[in-house]
């Protein structure tokens, strides 16, 4: 997924965004090439420059050598070389993250891209799991499992390109996580390489693995605890019956109230997605799925299970929608209509290119019952800051994705974009919400962590980090606000000899 | 940078006198143990007899059925929480077997019907616990979806109170199914029965009898029960009794190789891997590398080893 059509200038401190150039063949590169191979360790300027970005709006510093390992042993070798040279490492999947989690910070860290570790190793139907490498693309896995009657439940909008390793790092979600849960619920075991180069298996295939749930804390740690090299994902059985409804409303509030009403009625659909009018119009112009362009908001609701049950649930959603003044309720007639509706929803971010060249996609979560009020506040924030905001979101779990659309060539617009983003975060927290539902903290929301957590809370989060990575060399400068992770600061400031010599 | 909002966040915890009192009781010095319903009192080792005992606060703080969340003090009996949820047609993943909410989360064992109710580890959205330093610490958040920072709730589930003493949790709740019915048949292949139905809430096998819990809309349950007839002569039955005793943790596929000589009498959860047996599970232990992370975690969270001394979630069993 394209995250931004033009990079915004990051608000990172300049001292952390390394600016030097590597020599032609640095001693670290020589060692890395000996451990991997000549062609899988790149240190040309173009390659390293490519790695200074991910799909977020943030600019990283220069990366050091870029490694493409093909095994856990190679990742372990990289970690040991990095440790010897006191160099940080930045794990990377497809680079689709929107919070800056994969950008290099500090003194030219070694980038470890797992994209060549992309094999589905074993489908173990007896244990209802698959062992996969971290570079496997999310949708490729689901397509691979389809003939066997299974899928991988987390389905982020970037699923055509994002990797399972990235899903693990970010505890990714997606529209269908409402009923099935986010990535953490679908990871049974992990093989990881710690920052000191140890290869460990966390969790296990057994029902209740012994010990602390280290697998649970590793998932969503944004690459700060080590690098995933093998993943046992749970196989979810495909449901024989699916019903997809498209409900139209003359106000966003009615759509939001319908979502709350459905959950309150004891129905937990597989997905409930809302799009407001501007984004619906953009999507319809883009995919021609038959979305109503005159509705103030549309709700895409999907139930799955067995034939009779899904009919009952679909009827309940329809009647709750009508009670909340739905102007139209449409049931997708067949698989192709359903696929088209979902294509519209999942390509929403691409569709906005016809409106303005740039966007900034936000991600917060609020209690479902606060959705309507927070959305009204978001529209007011847009007016106040003179920016256009469209809303497409996982309404079922209160996960907002306000999309700030702008033309970066306009003078001063970036300040207004950032101001609007900060106000959205504040509005979400004030409503009893949280900073992120899917994208993670990365560098984007570090400075907001103190609004949600006390110093004691952050201190304990840091203890988790320190338990895996006492030297703070795995993806330093991410997640924790700077003042709460002194070792991170040291890691970022450490200037290897021979680099800035 | 923190400004007013940092103060606001701190206020959430420190101005709750119940939590503050509990933190003061736990204190910051000397060995201390936490006591719930004592239903799993020997899990992970014997508590050091020198440890002073404390109990977590009790009560349901807030229950919002339409948000599918309940905020509850850790000392509250699970039965009380489930009774309150049932009044609004909901339930949680916590096991229905007595004990307190804090105990159930700290032990982390799932209900027999885990396939239907979900796991305890996925149900805990937010934890508030008292640290070894006697401070109230908050992890996670009140929404069903949240990836803000490191996942302290996951760490607390199954940690046996060795990293902090749970004071309050927010649990995800789920709607109670319209129908819950058990079916049983003798001498059928339990794995075939498990495959025959979509998402059963439990499949139990004791070497002779296979018992299946079907939940959902009545008409779906009826159709699934009819489909089961292709595997064996399943008849409706009461909820089977699952023996207390030793709790094994196997991979689901390993159940096909269960040897009654090893287990003596047993009840196995097909599709899960849990086995309730007369005999203890052959010893299992952490790998050396995982043990190092474990030890660091314990010493980082509880440098003097004062919390629940004698207990260890990673102890060989």
């Amino acid at each position: 997924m394209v995250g931004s059509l033009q990079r915004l200038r990051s608000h990172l401190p300049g001292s952390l965004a390394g600016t030097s150039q590597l020599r032609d063949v640095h001693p670290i590169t020589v060692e890395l090439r000996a451990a991997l191979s000549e062609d899988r360790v790149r240190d040309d300027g173009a390659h390293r420059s490519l790695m200074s970005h991910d799909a977020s709006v943030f600019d990283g510093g220069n990366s050091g050598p870029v490694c493409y390992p093909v095994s856990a042993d190679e990742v372990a070798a990289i970690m040991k070389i990095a440790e010897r040279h006191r160099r940080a490492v930045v794990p990377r999947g497809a680079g689709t993250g929107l919070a800056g989690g994969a950008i290099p910070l500090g003194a030219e860290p070694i980038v470890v891209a797992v994209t060549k570790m992309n094999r589905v190793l074993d489908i173990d139907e007896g244990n209802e799991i698959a062992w996969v490498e971290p570079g496997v693309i999310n949708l490729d896995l689901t397509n691979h499992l389809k003939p066997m009657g299974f899928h991988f439940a987390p389905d982020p909008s970037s699923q055509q390109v994002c990797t399972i390793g990235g899903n693990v790092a970010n505890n990714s979600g997606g529209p269908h996580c409402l009923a099935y849960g986010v990535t953490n619920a679908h990871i049974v075991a992990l093989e990881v390489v710690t920052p000191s180069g140890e290869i460990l298996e966390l969790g296990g295939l057994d029902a209740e693995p012994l010990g602390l749930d280290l697998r649970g804390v590793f998932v969503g740690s944004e690459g700060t605890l080590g690098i995933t090299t093998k993943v046992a994902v749970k196989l979810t059985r495909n449901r024989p019956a699916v019903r997809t409804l498209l409900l139209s409303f003359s106000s966003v509030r009615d759509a939001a109230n319908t979502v709350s009403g459905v959950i309150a009625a004891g129905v937990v659909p597989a997905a409930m997605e809302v799009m407001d009018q501007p984004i619906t119009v953009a999507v319809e112009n883009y995919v021609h799925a038959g979305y109503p362009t005159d509705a103030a908001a549309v709700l895409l609701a999907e139930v799955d299970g067995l034939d009779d049950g899904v009919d009952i649930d679909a009827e309940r959603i329809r009647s709750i929608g009508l009670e909340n003044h739905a102007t139209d309720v449409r049931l997708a007639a067949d698989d192709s209509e359903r696929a088209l509706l979902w294509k519209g929803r999942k390509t929403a971010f691409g569709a906005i290119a016809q409106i303005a060249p740039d966007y900034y996609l936000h991600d917060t979560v609020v209690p479902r019952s606060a959705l309507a009020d927070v959305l009204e506040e978001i529209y007011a924030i847009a007016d106040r800051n003179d920016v256009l905001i469209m809303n497409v979101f996982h309404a079922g779990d209160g996960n907002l994705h306000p999309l700030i659309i702008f033309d970066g060539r306009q003078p001063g617009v970036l300040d207004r974009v950032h101001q609007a983003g900060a106000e959205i975060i504040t509005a979400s927290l004030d409503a009893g919400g949280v900073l992120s539902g899917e994208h993670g903290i990365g560098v984007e929301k570090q400075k907001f962590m103190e609004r949600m957590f006390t110093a004691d809370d952050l201190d304990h989060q840091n203890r988790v980090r320190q338990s895996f990575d006492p030297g703070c060399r795995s993806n330093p400068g991410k997640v924790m606000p700077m003042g709460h992770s002194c070792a991170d600061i040291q890691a970022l400031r450490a200037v290897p000899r021979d680099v800035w010599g | 940078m923190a400004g007013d909002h940092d103060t606001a966040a701190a206020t959430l915890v420190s101005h709750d006198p119940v939590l503050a009192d509990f933190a003061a009781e736990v204190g910051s010095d000397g060995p201390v143990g936490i006591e719930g319903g004592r239903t799993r009192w020997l899990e992970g080792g014997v508590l050091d007899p020198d440890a002073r005992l404390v109990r977590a606060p009790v009560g349901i703080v807030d229950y919002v059925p339409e948000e599918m969340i309940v905020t509850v003090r850790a000392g509250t009996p699970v039965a009380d929480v489930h009774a309150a949820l049932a009044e609004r047609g909901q339930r949680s993943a916590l096991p229905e077997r007595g004990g307190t909410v804090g105990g159930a989360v700290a032990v982390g064992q799932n209900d027999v019907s885990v396939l239907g109710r979900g796991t305890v580890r996925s149900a805990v959205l937010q934890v508030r616990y008292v640290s070894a330093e006697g401070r109230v610490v908050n992890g996670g958040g009140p929404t069903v979806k949240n990836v803000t920072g490191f996942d302290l709730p996951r760490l607390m589930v199954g940690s046996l109170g060795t990293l902090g003493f749970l004071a309050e949790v927010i649990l995800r709740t789920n709607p109670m199914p319209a129908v819950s019915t058990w079916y049983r048949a003798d001498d059928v292949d339990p794995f075939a029965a498990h495959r025959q139905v979509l998402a059963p809430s439990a499949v139990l096998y004791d070497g002779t009898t296979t018992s299946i819990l079907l939940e959902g809309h009545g008409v779906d349950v009826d159709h699934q029960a009819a489909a089961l007839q292709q595997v064996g002569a399943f008849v409706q039955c009461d909820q089977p009794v699952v023996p207390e005793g030793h709790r094994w943790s196997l991979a689901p596929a390993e159940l096909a190789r269960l040897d009654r000589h090893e287990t003596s009498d047993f009840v196995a959860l097909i599709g899960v891997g849990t086995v309730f047996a007369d005999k203890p599970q052959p010893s299992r232990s952490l790998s050396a590398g995982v043990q190092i992370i474990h030890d660091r975690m314990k010493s980082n969270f509880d440098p003097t080893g004062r919390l629940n001394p004698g207990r260890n979630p990673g102890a060989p069993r």
Side-chain angles (χ1 to χ4, degrees), chain A residues 127 206 208 212 308 369 436 438 456-457 460 467, chain B residues 67 129 135 138 145 147 217 223 247 249 253 294 296:
Chain A
N127 286 314
D206 59 317
E208 289 162 352
L212 298 171
D308 294 305
S369 54
S436 174
E438 301 187 317
D456 284 327
D457 302 342
H460 272 227
S467 300
Chain B
E67 294 293 336
Y129 59 90
R135 308 282 294 180
N138 176 68
K145 204 173 190 184
V147 294
H217 291 296
H223 281 158
R247 188 182 182 104
S249 177
H294 244 255
R296 277 194 209 138

PDB file of all heavy atoms in Angstrom, chain A residues 127 206 208 212 308 369 436 438 456-457 460 467, chain B residues 67 129 135 138 145 147 217 223 247 249 253 294 296:
ATOM      1  N   ASN A 127      -2.515 -29.880  13.880  1.00  0.00           N
ATOM      2  CA  ASN A 127      -2.440 -28.867  14.928  1.00  0.00           C
ATOM      3  C   ASN A 127      -3.117 -27.559  14.519  1.00  0.00           C
ATOM      4  O   ASN A 127      -3.061 -26.570  15.256  1.00  0.00           O
ATOM      5  CB  ASN A 127      -0.977 -28.594  15.295  1.00  0.00           C
ATOM      6  CG  ASN A 127      -0.386 -29.734  16.111  1.00  0.00           C
ATOM      7  OD1 ASN A 127      -1.015 -30.212  17.053  1.00  0.00           O
ATOM      8  ND2 ASN A 127       0.804 -30.193  15.737  1.00  0.00           N
ATOM      9  N   ASP A 206       1.667 -26.419  22.053  1.00  0.00           N
ATOM     10  CA  ASP A 206       0.824 -27.035  23.083  1.00  0.00           C
ATOM     11  C   ASP A 206      -0.171 -26.020  23.639  1.00  0.00           C
ATOM     12  O   ASP A 206      -0.036 -24.812  23.446  1.00  0.00           O
ATOM     13  CB  ASP A 206       1.672 -27.651  24.198  1.00  0.00           C
ATOM     14  CG  ASP A 206       2.568 -26.669  24.899  1.00  0.00           C
ATOM     15  OD1 ASP A 206       3.184 -25.841  24.208  1.00  0.00           O
ATOM     16  OD2 ASP A 206       2.641 -26.699  26.136  1.00  0.00           O
ATOM     17  N   GLU A 208      -1.194 -24.801  26.589  1.00  0.00           N
ATOM     18  CA  GLU A 208      -0.865 -23.730  27.540  1.00  0.00           C
ATOM     19  C   GLU A 208       0.631 -23.797  27.834  1.00  0.00           C
ATOM     20  O   GLU A 208       1.065 -24.399  28.820  1.00  0.00           O
ATOM     21  CB  GLU A 208      -1.713 -23.892  28.814  1.00  0.00           C
ATOM     22  CG  GLU A 208      -3.178 -23.548  28.575  1.00  0.00           C
ATOM     23  CD  GLU A 208      -4.132 -24.082  29.643  1.00  0.00           C
ATOM     24  OE1 GLU A 208      -3.690 -24.860  30.513  1.00  0.00           O
ATOM     25  OE2 GLU A 208      -5.321 -23.728  29.591  1.00  0.00           O
ATOM     26  N   LEU A 212       6.189 -17.596  31.310  1.00  0.00           N
ATOM     27  CA  LEU A 212       5.603 -16.304  30.959  1.00  0.00           C
ATOM     28  C   LEU A 212       5.241 -16.292  29.480  1.00  0.00           C
ATOM     29  O   LEU A 212       5.891 -16.955  28.670  1.00  0.00           O
ATOM     30  CB  LEU A 212       6.598 -15.178  31.252  1.00  0.00           C
ATOM     31  CG  LEU A 212       7.032 -15.011  32.714  1.00  0.00           C
ATOM     32  CD1 LEU A 212       8.184 -14.002  32.805  1.00  0.00           C
ATOM     33  CD2 LEU A 212       5.850 -14.561  33.578  1.00  0.00           C
ATOM     34  N   ASP A 308     -28.226 -20.810   8.098  1.00  0.00           N
ATOM     35  CA  ASP A 308     -29.405 -20.263   8.769  1.00  0.00           C
ATOM     36  C   ASP A 308     -29.031 -19.152   9.742  1.00  0.00           C
ATOM     37  O   ASP A 308     -29.701 -18.119   9.800  1.00  0.00           O
ATOM     38  CB  ASP A 308     -30.137 -21.389   9.508  1.00  0.00           C
ATOM     39  CG  ASP A 308     -30.721 -22.401   8.529  1.00  0.00           C
ATOM     40  OD1 ASP A 308     -31.468 -21.982   7.637  1.00  0.00           O
ATOM     41  OD2 ASP A 308     -30.406 -23.595   8.655  1.00  0.00           O
ATOM     42  N   SER A 369     -19.412   3.516  21.740  1.00  0.00           N
ATOM     43  CA  SER A 369     -20.508   4.443  22.025  1.00  0.00           C
ATOM     44  C   SER A 369     -20.095   5.900  21.825  1.00  0.00           C
ATOM     45  O   SER A 369     -20.941   6.784  21.743  1.00  0.00           O
ATOM     46  CB  SER A 369     -21.006   4.236  23.457  1.00  0.00           C
ATOM     47  OG  SER A 369     -19.915   4.328  24.353  1.00  0.00           O
ATOM     48  N   SER A 436      -3.432   3.900  19.523  1.00  0.00           N
ATOM     49  CA  SER A 436      -3.339   3.166  18.261  1.00  0.00           C
ATOM     50  C   SER A 436      -4.059   1.827  18.346  1.00  0.00           C
ATOM     51  O   SER A 436      -3.938   1.110  19.342  1.00  0.00           O
ATOM     52  CB  SER A 436      -1.867   2.937  17.893  1.00  0.00           C
ATOM     53  OG  SER A 436      -1.784   2.117  16.743  1.00  0.00           O
ATOM     54  N   GLU A 438      -3.935  -0.251  15.408  1.00  0.00           N
ATOM     55  CA  GLU A 438      -3.317  -1.147  14.421  1.00  0.00           C
ATOM     56  C   GLU A 438      -1.913  -0.714  14.008  1.00  0.00           C
ATOM     57  O   GLU A 438      -1.061  -1.547  13.758  1.00  0.00           O
ATOM     58  CB  GLU A 438      -4.164  -1.183  13.141  1.00  0.00           C
ATOM     59  CG  GLU A 438      -5.560  -1.634  13.348  1.00  0.00           C
ATOM     60  CD  GLU A 438      -6.313  -1.814  12.040  1.00  0.00           C
ATOM     61  OE1 GLU A 438      -6.202  -0.962  11.134  1.00  0.00           O
ATOM     62  OE2 GLU A 438      -7.005  -2.814  11.932  1.00  0.00           O
ATOM     63  N   ASP A 456       5.295   5.505  35.882  1.00  0.00           N
ATOM     64  CA  ASP A 456       5.418   4.123  36.367  1.00  0.00           C
ATOM     65  C   ASP A 456       5.034   3.127  35.276  1.00  0.00           C
ATOM     66  O   ASP A 456       5.694   2.092  35.100  1.00  0.00           O
ATOM     67  CB  ASP A 456       4.517   3.888  37.590  1.00  0.00           C
ATOM     68  CG  ASP A 456       5.106   4.498  38.854  1.00  0.00           C
ATOM     69  OD1 ASP A 456       6.345   4.515  38.974  1.00  0.00           O
ATOM     70  OD2 ASP A 456       4.335   4.952  39.712  1.00  0.00           O
ATOM     71  N   ASP A 457       3.959   3.442  34.551  1.00  0.00           N
ATOM     72  CA  ASP A 457       3.522   2.536  33.472  1.00  0.00           C
ATOM     73  C   ASP A 457       4.632   2.390  32.425  1.00  0.00           C
ATOM     74  O   ASP A 457       4.947   1.286  31.975  1.00  0.00           O
ATOM     75  CB  ASP A 457       2.275   3.084  32.762  1.00  0.00           C
ATOM     76  CG  ASP A 457       1.099   3.308  33.701  1.00  0.00           C
ATOM     77  OD1 ASP A 457       1.110   2.739  34.809  1.00  0.00           O
ATOM     78  OD2 ASP A 457       0.181   4.061  33.320  1.00  0.00           O
ATOM     79  N   HIS A 460       7.576   0.343  33.491  1.00  0.00           N
ATOM     80  CA  HIS A 460       7.367  -1.112  33.405  1.00  0.00           C
ATOM     81  C   HIS A 460       7.408  -1.611  31.973  1.00  0.00           C
ATOM     82  O   HIS A 460       7.895  -2.711  31.702  1.00  0.00           O
ATOM     83  CB  HIS A 460       6.074  -1.508  34.119  1.00  0.00           C
ATOM     84  CG  HIS A 460       6.299  -1.784  35.570  1.00  0.00           C
ATOM     85  ND1 HIS A 460       5.802  -2.878  36.223  1.00  0.00           N
ATOM     86  CD2 HIS A 460       7.031  -1.106  36.490  1.00  0.00           C
ATOM     87  CE1 HIS A 460       6.202  -2.861  37.483  1.00  0.00           C
ATOM     88  NE2 HIS A 460       6.935  -1.788  37.667  1.00  0.00           N
ATOM     89  N   SER A 467      14.449  -6.569  29.218  1.00  0.00           N
ATOM     90  CA  SER A 467      14.598  -8.004  29.463  1.00  0.00           C
ATOM     91  C   SER A 467      15.040  -8.741  28.196  1.00  0.00           C
ATOM     92  O   SER A 467      15.749  -9.727  28.263  1.00  0.00           O
ATOM     93  CB  SER A 467      13.276  -8.604  29.971  1.00  0.00           C
ATOM     94  OG  SER A 467      12.893  -7.975  31.175  1.00  0.00           O
TER      95      SER A 467
ATOM     96  N   GLU B  67     -20.321  -2.123  25.089  1.00  0.00           N
ATOM     97  CA  GLU B  67     -18.902  -2.043  24.718  1.00  0.00           C
ATOM     98  C   GLU B  67     -18.237  -3.417  24.816  1.00  0.00           C
ATOM     99  O   GLU B  67     -17.070  -3.577  24.480  1.00  0.00           O
ATOM    100  CB  GLU B  67     -18.149  -1.072  25.630  1.00  0.00           C
ATOM    101  CG  GLU B  67     -18.564   0.382  25.520  1.00  0.00           C
ATOM    102  CD  GLU B  67     -18.222   0.994  24.171  1.00  0.00           C
ATOM    103  OE1 GLU B  67     -17.297   0.496  23.503  1.00  0.00           O
ATOM    104  OE2 GLU B  67     -18.907   1.960  23.777  1.00  0.00           O
ATOM    105  N   TYR B 129      -1.923  -3.282  38.299  1.00  0.00           N
ATOM    106  CA  TYR B 129      -1.314  -4.145  39.300  1.00  0.00           C
ATOM    107  C   TYR B 129      -0.387  -3.339  40.183  1.00  0.00           C
ATOM    108  O   TYR B 129       0.019  -2.216  39.839  1.00  0.00           O
ATOM    109  CB  TYR B 129      -0.565  -5.304  38.636  1.00  0.00           C
ATOM    110  CG  TYR B 129       0.550  -4.913  37.680  1.00  0.00           C
ATOM    111  CD1 TYR B 129       1.864  -4.741  38.128  1.00  0.00           C
ATOM    112  CD2 TYR B 129       0.301  -4.734  36.326  1.00  0.00           C
ATOM    113  CE1 TYR B 129       2.878  -4.406  37.263  1.00  0.00           C
ATOM    114  CE2 TYR B 129       1.322  -4.389  35.445  1.00  0.00           C
ATOM    115  CZ  TYR B 129       2.602  -4.225  35.918  1.00  0.00           C
ATOM    116  OH  TYR B 129       3.614  -3.875  35.046  1.00  0.00           O
ATOM    117  N   ARG B 135       3.976   0.361  43.755  1.00  0.00           N
ATOM    118  CA  ARG B 135       3.355   1.378  42.895  1.00  0.00           C
ATOM    119  C   ARG B 135       2.230   0.740  42.077  1.00  0.00           C
ATOM    120  O   ARG B 135       2.328  -0.424  41.681  1.00  0.00           O
ATOM    121  CB  ARG B 135       4.391   1.949  41.920  1.00  0.00           C
ATOM    122  CG  ARG B 135       5.675   2.446  42.570  1.00  0.00           C
ATOM    123  CD  ARG B 135       5.514   3.770  43.206  1.00  0.00           C
ATOM    124  NE  ARG B 135       5.249   4.830  42.222  1.00  0.00           N
ATOM    125  CZ  ARG B 135       5.077   6.098  42.547  1.00  0.00           C
ATOM    126  NH1 ARG B 135       5.116   6.471  43.815  1.00  0.00           N
ATOM    127  NH2 ARG B 135       4.850   7.003  41.610  1.00  0.00           N
ATOM    128  N   ASN B 138      -0.285   0.558  35.308  1.00  0.00           N
ATOM    129  CA  ASN B 138      -1.372   0.319  34.367  1.00  0.00           C
ATOM    130  C   ASN B 138      -0.792  -0.162  33.040  1.00  0.00           C
ATOM    131  O   ASN B 138       0.170   0.401  32.523  1.00  0.00           O
ATOM    132  CB  ASN B 138      -2.104   1.653  34.165  1.00  0.00           C
ATOM    133  CG  ASN B 138      -3.203   1.550  33.130  1.00  0.00           C
ATOM    134  OD1 ASN B 138      -4.200   0.876  33.356  1.00  0.00           O
ATOM    135  ND2 ASN B 138      -3.011   2.188  32.002  1.00  0.00           N
ATOM    136  N   LYS B 145      -9.562  -3.095  20.918  1.00  0.00           N
ATOM    137  CA  LYS B 145      -8.417  -3.116  20.011  1.00  0.00           C
ATOM    138  C   LYS B 145      -7.417  -2.075  20.499  1.00  0.00           C
ATOM    139  O   LYS B 145      -7.791  -0.937  20.763  1.00  0.00           O
ATOM    140  CB  LYS B 145      -8.899  -2.748  18.619  1.00  0.00           C
ATOM    141  CG  LYS B 145      -8.058  -3.232  17.487  1.00  0.00           C
ATOM    142  CD  LYS B 145      -8.804  -2.901  16.224  1.00  0.00           C
ATOM    143  CE  LYS B 145      -8.212  -3.525  15.005  1.00  0.00           C
ATOM    144  NZ  LYS B 145      -8.971  -3.065  13.826  1.00  0.00           N
ATOM    145  N   VAL B 147      -2.961  -1.308  20.276  1.00  0.00           N
ATOM    146  CA  VAL B 147      -1.555  -1.707  20.124  1.00  0.00           C
ATOM    147  C   VAL B 147      -0.636  -0.590  20.614  1.00  0.00           C
ATOM    148  O   VAL B 147       0.401  -0.322  20.034  1.00  0.00           O
ATOM    149  CB  VAL B 147      -1.214  -2.099  18.663  1.00  0.00           C
ATOM    150  CG1 VAL B 147      -1.956  -3.352  18.255  1.00  0.00           C
ATOM    151  CG2 VAL B 147      -1.502  -0.967  17.683  1.00  0.00           C
ATOM    152  N   HIS B 217     -26.964 -20.159  17.183  1.00  0.00           N
ATOM    153  CA  HIS B 217     -28.393 -20.116  16.900  1.00  0.00           C
ATOM    154  C   HIS B 217     -28.945 -21.542  16.963  1.00  0.00           C
ATOM    155  O   HIS B 217     -28.288 -22.481  16.488  1.00  0.00           O
ATOM    156  CB  HIS B 217     -28.633 -19.540  15.508  1.00  0.00           C
ATOM    157  CG  HIS B 217     -28.298 -18.081  15.405  1.00  0.00           C
ATOM    158  ND1 HIS B 217     -28.978 -17.119  16.108  1.00  0.00           N
ATOM    159  CD2 HIS B 217     -27.349 -17.431  14.683  1.00  0.00           C
ATOM    160  CE1 HIS B 217     -28.461 -15.929  15.824  1.00  0.00           C
ATOM    161  NE2 HIS B 217     -27.469 -16.090  14.975  1.00  0.00           N
ATOM    162  N   HIS B 223     -28.714 -28.299  13.031  1.00  0.00           N
ATOM    163  CA  HIS B 223     -28.106 -28.810  11.797  1.00  0.00           C
ATOM    164  C   HIS B 223     -26.759 -29.474  12.064  1.00  0.00           C
ATOM    165  O   HIS B 223     -26.435 -30.509  11.486  1.00  0.00           O
ATOM    166  CB  HIS B 223     -27.927 -27.670  10.789  1.00  0.00           C
ATOM    167  CG  HIS B 223     -29.196 -27.319  10.088  1.00  0.00           C
ATOM    168  ND1 HIS B 223     -29.410 -26.094   9.498  1.00  0.00           N
ATOM    169  CD2 HIS B 223     -30.334 -28.009   9.893  1.00  0.00           C
ATOM    170  CE1 HIS B 223     -30.628 -26.065   8.969  1.00  0.00           C
ATOM    171  NE2 HIS B 223     -31.205 -27.213   9.197  1.00  0.00           N
ATOM    172  N   ARG B 247      -3.146 -31.392  35.001  1.00  0.00           N
ATOM    173  CA  ARG B 247      -3.510 -30.703  33.762  1.00  0.00           C
ATOM    174  C   ARG B 247      -2.312 -30.771  32.817  1.00  0.00           C
ATOM    175  O   ARG B 247      -1.263 -30.198  33.097  1.00  0.00           O
ATOM    176  CB  ARG B 247      -3.865 -29.251  34.073  1.00  0.00           C
ATOM    177  CG  ARG B 247      -4.438 -28.463  32.906  1.00  0.00           C
ATOM    178  CD  ARG B 247      -4.707 -27.035  33.340  1.00  0.00           C
ATOM    179  NE  ARG B 247      -5.308 -26.262  32.265  1.00  0.00           N
ATOM    180  CZ  ARG B 247      -6.595 -25.930  32.207  1.00  0.00           C
ATOM    181  NH1 ARG B 247      -7.419 -26.308  33.169  1.00  0.00           N
ATOM    182  NH2 ARG B 247      -7.050 -25.219  31.197  1.00  0.00           N
ATOM    183  N   SER B 249      -0.446 -30.164  29.103  1.00  0.00           N
ATOM    184  CA  SER B 249      -0.488 -29.238  27.965  1.00  0.00           C
ATOM    185  C   SER B 249       0.236 -29.894  26.796  1.00  0.00           C
ATOM    186  O   SER B 249       1.454 -30.002  26.786  1.00  0.00           O
ATOM    187  CB  SER B 249       0.193 -27.913  28.338  1.00  0.00           C
ATOM    188  OG  SER B 249       0.202 -27.048  27.230  1.00  0.00           O
ATOM    189  N   ALA B 253      -2.344 -32.281  17.955  1.00  0.00           N
ATOM    190  CA  ALA B 253      -2.092 -33.519  17.194  1.00  0.00           C
ATOM    191  C   ALA B 253      -1.536 -34.624  18.082  1.00  0.00           C
ATOM    192  O   ALA B 253      -1.671 -35.811  17.770  1.00  0.00           O
ATOM    193  CB  ALA B 253      -1.139 -33.239  16.037  1.00  0.00           C
ATOM    194  N   HIS B 294      13.395 -15.085  30.900  1.00  0.00           N
ATOM    195  CA  HIS B 294      12.536 -15.230  32.074  1.00  0.00           C
ATOM    196  C   HIS B 294      13.179 -14.623  33.305  1.00  0.00           C
ATOM    197  O   HIS B 294      12.558 -13.860  34.043  1.00  0.00           O
ATOM    198  CB  HIS B 294      12.341 -16.730  32.327  1.00  0.00           C
ATOM    199  CG  HIS B 294      10.940 -17.178  32.183  1.00  0.00           C
ATOM    200  ND1 HIS B 294      10.148 -17.483  33.249  1.00  0.00           N
ATOM    201  CD2 HIS B 294      10.187 -17.356  31.077  1.00  0.00           C
ATOM    202  CE1 HIS B 294       8.952 -17.852  32.809  1.00  0.00           C
ATOM    203  NE2 HIS B 294       8.959 -17.789  31.490  1.00  0.00           N
ATOM    204  N   ARG B 296      15.614 -12.524  33.538  1.00  0.00           N
ATOM    205  CA  ARG B 296      15.764 -11.064  33.444  1.00  0.00           C
ATOM    206  C   ARG B 296      14.430 -10.372  33.726  1.00  0.00           C
ATOM    207  O   ARG B 296      14.380  -9.343  34.389  1.00  0.00           O
ATOM    208  CB  ARG B 296      16.218 -10.675  32.033  1.00  0.00           C
ATOM    209  CG  ARG B 296      17.705 -10.787  31.813  1.00  0.00           C
ATOM    210  CD  ARG B 296      18.024 -10.041  30.518  1.00  0.00           C
ATOM    211  NE  ARG B 296      19.179 -10.610  29.872  1.00  0.00           N
ATOM    212  CZ  ARG B 296      19.270 -10.818  28.561  1.00  0.00           C
ATOM    213  NH1 ARG B 296      18.274 -10.492  27.758  1.00  0.00           N
ATOM    214  NH2 ARG B 296      20.366 -11.314  28.042  1.00  0.00           N
TER     215      ARG B 296
END
